[in-house]
Amino acid sequence: MTSEVKELVDGVLHRATAEVGLDVEYVRARGNTVFARGRDGTGVPVADFLGGYGALLLGHNHPDLVAHLANLLAQETPVLVQLSSQPAADEVVRTLNRVLHREFDVDEPYFGVFANSGAEGIEVALKHAEFDRGQRVDAMRAEIDENIGAALSAGLAGATVDGSVLGLPVGSAVDEVVEEIRVRNAAAFATGPRLIALSGGFHGKLVGSGQLTHNHDYRSPFASLAAQATFAPANEPEALRAVFEDARVTAYDLRITETRAEVVRRDAPVFCALLVEPVQGEGGIVPLTAEFAKQVQELGAEFGCPVVVDEIQSGTGRTGTFFASAQLGLLGDYYVLSKSIGGGLAKLSVTLVRAARYRPEFEMVHSSTFAKDGLSTSVAAAVLELLEAGDGALYRVAAERGRRLSAALHEVRAEYPEIITDVRGLGLLQGVEFGDLSTSGSTLAAQLQAQGQFGFLASGFLLHEHRIRLFPTGSAPNTLRLEPSVQVTDEEIDRLATGLRALCALLRAGDDQGLTAF
Ligand code: F0G
């Protein structure tokens, strides 16, 4: 009976993870440790380097947050009191503004919109950006209509205009030119939103956000449901410019002087948003270069395209600053936060919108029953208090633990350069990439790698032989992602290094039996 019930949820997924011994039940979790149910029923401690896909910067069941949540329940704190005043939500956004102003050295306010998950936070940004774009289109249309009206009423109706910009004769009648402008602009303003995202990027799996996620398998079957993005390669500044140039759409306006009218080109507001992760997470832990970040900022300004910085995984202190983008000098029009801002206990996201872009009317057209609930916002406020305490001591811990982790990984790489081809990341967001294993000597590893499954074999081995929990990402199956909490110890980092060494030695020796002995 039990096994039948289990099959009703993710049965296929569980059978796949069971093949490499990853179908473990965890019965308790605290700090950087999860306890797996052992054969005799006792909890076997496992060092957690997966960290709830990066949602556990503060660790599992942080005692201060558990006490805070328990207290909220004991106090009968209102959880769902929509449309009433929500002091915890206000406090979260006020604190986020303070942190953002400090890290980017700016003073423009950012308005906050709450939602329930990372993907939902992205959809909030997307919807808001399109709402804003629609109003920008309306404003340009009205402005051009006004100029046309002025031209016609200025007694220019009988005059001629140079229509060559529109492919009309130099001496075209004003009426004819106006008609052509109207036709062209109707098409320009009906252009769908231009959405630009990066290859390897991940922004969620909902209907809209899923189309911004690069992975073909997650995106393609659902392409008919939502607006499509154009994907530019990450860290290639000129390629990004080419995508913008290519997507540009021209509208036409009339500029009037006292005696004549002139046809001028304008860029139609077709750019809805450009989405970037400062460090791509699910795509294989790829930090953006400062040069690319600069290009993102410049092109966003040049083409009037809002920049959405997805800090869902990289943000909330994981990389040593609250915003990873602060280290790149990349100031966004939107920021999306989720994962660790819930302290591992609450589910929420916060989308921040820069005041210059913010459309207050959006508040009347977007909402969710559970968004901005009393528990998640209060836990988030407590998380921010922990992070900001002691002049940001925990950011420094994340940076120091990240350096310690990175140094240990680089040492292993130096010993097995033909197996581990790259170690990269920022702070406590690190990736270990395995090279081509087809000539490694391990038939099994080569075979699994060809199927995109090698990372799962490595994960099973490290779990059973070294009590290390980690995974590759869905989109970069040769890269193991490491996102431990700030509570990760030297012993755990050393154990990870020992486990990786043992794995590399087996691969080098082609010892397939050793790889699957567990
Ligand atoms: N954006 C980024 C950068 C993410 O890493 C994720 C999720 C999301 C958006 C979507 O958030 O899952 O709460 O809806 N990343 C997970 C991963 C799934 O594997 O890294 P969500």
Side-chain angles (χ1 to χ4, degrees), residues 147-478:
N147 289 341
I148 288 174
L152 296 177
S153 64
L156 290 171
T160 62
V161 177
D162 181 352
S164 52
V165 173
L166 295 159
L168 297 176
V170 175
S172 294
V174 170
D175 291 352
E176 213 181 319
V177 166
V178 164
E179 180 53 24
E180 183 65 17
I181 287 177
R182 289 208 161 114
V183 170
R184 298 245 191 148
N185 285 355
F189 294 146
T191 305
R194 304 293 204 213
L195 292 163
I196 302 173
L198 302 183
S199 303
F202 188 98
H203 301 288
K205 289 180 176 171
L206 295 185
V207 166
S209 53
Q211 293 308 311
L212 305 167
T213 288
H214 186 233
N215 185 308
H216 181 269
D217 295 350
Y218 303 155
R219 175 168 48 89
S220 294
F222 314 104
S224 57
L225 294 174
Q228 305 293 289
T230 303
F231 293 95
N235 289 336
E236 292 184 27
E238 281 318 305
L240 185 63
R241 169 168 288 282
V243 167
F244 269 96
E245 294 286 1
D246 211 39
R248 171 175 247 164
V249 172
T250 303
Y252 297 86
D253 198 355
L254 274 183
R255 189 189 297 148
I256 314 140
T257 65
E258 277 184 11
T259 52
R260 52 190 287 271
E262 184 191 355
V263 182
V264 291
R265 288 193 173 89
R266 295 180 68 173
D267 276 337
V270 291
F271 291 101
C272 177
L274 162 62
L275 287 100
V276 297
E277 294 159 85
V279 182
Q280 292 190 331
E282 205 271 347
I285 320 297
V286 181
L288 295 189
T289 61
E291 188 199 2
F292 188 74
K294 189 161 172 269
Q295 179 79 319
V296 165
Q297 186 100 70
E298 284 175 7
L299 291 174
E302 184 180 335
F303 288 85
C305 179
V307 175
V308 177
V309 182
D310 181 344
E311 291 261 17
I312 287 168
Q313 189 155 184
S314 59
T316 317
R318 179 163 291 282
T319 65
T321 43
F322 186 89
F323 294 96
S325 48
Q327 293 179 50
L328 297 170
L330 173 62
L331 182 66
D333 296 280
Y334 295 75
Y335 288 94
V336 189
L337 297 160
S338 187
K339 297 210 185 213
S340 283
I341 201 167
L345 294 173
K347 298 188 278 194
L348 80 157
S349 64
V350 188
T351 301
L352 296 173
V353 190
R354 169 186 199 169
R357 292 269 182 204
Y358 189 61
R359 301 281 184 176
E361 313 90 294
F362 186 72
E363 295 166 20
M364 311 304 285
V365 295
H366 183 88
S367 64
S368 158
T369 302
F370 294 120
K372 214 171 70 170
D373 68 285
L375 293 186
S376 74
T377 49
S378 184
V379 169
V383 166
L384 294 176
E385 205 175 309
L386 277 173
L387 287 171
E388 288 285 297
D391 201 18
L394 279 178
Y395 306 130
R396 292 190 289 280
V397 174
E400 184 280 325
R401 292 286 78 192
R403 281 194 298 274
R404 176 72 167 75
L405 174 61
S406 167
L409 298 172
H410 275 286
E411 274 178 33
V412 182
R413 185 194 168 196
E415 291 164 40
Y416 295 93
E418 83 285 13
I419 293 173
I420 294 180
T421 50
D422 200 14
V423 170
R424 54 177 182 262
L426 210 58
L428 286 174
L429 185 51
Q430 298 281 333
V432 175
E433 185 171 352
F434 287 74
D436 178 6
L437 297 172
S438 62
T439 55
S440 69
S442 166
T443 324
L444 178 67
Q447 203 175 25
L448 287 174
Q449 191 177 47
Q451 297 163 8
Q453 300 295 325
F454 165 73
F456 290 99
L457 172 72
S459 305
F461 170 82
L462 289 166
L463 176 62
H464 288 276
E465 300 290 335
H466 298 272
R467 291 182 289 111
I468 298 282
R469 171 169 159 82
L470 53 67
F471 272 178
T473 67
S475 299
N478 291 323

Side-chain angles (χ1 to χ4, degrees), residues 97-117:
N97 269 273
R98 206 177 61 234
V99 174
L100 192 151
H101 294 164
R102 181 185 72 223
E103 292 197 342
F104 291 91
D105 196 21
V106 293
D107 57 11
E108 184 176 351
Y110 279 68
F111 291 90
V113 184
F114 286 80
N116 303 289
S117 68

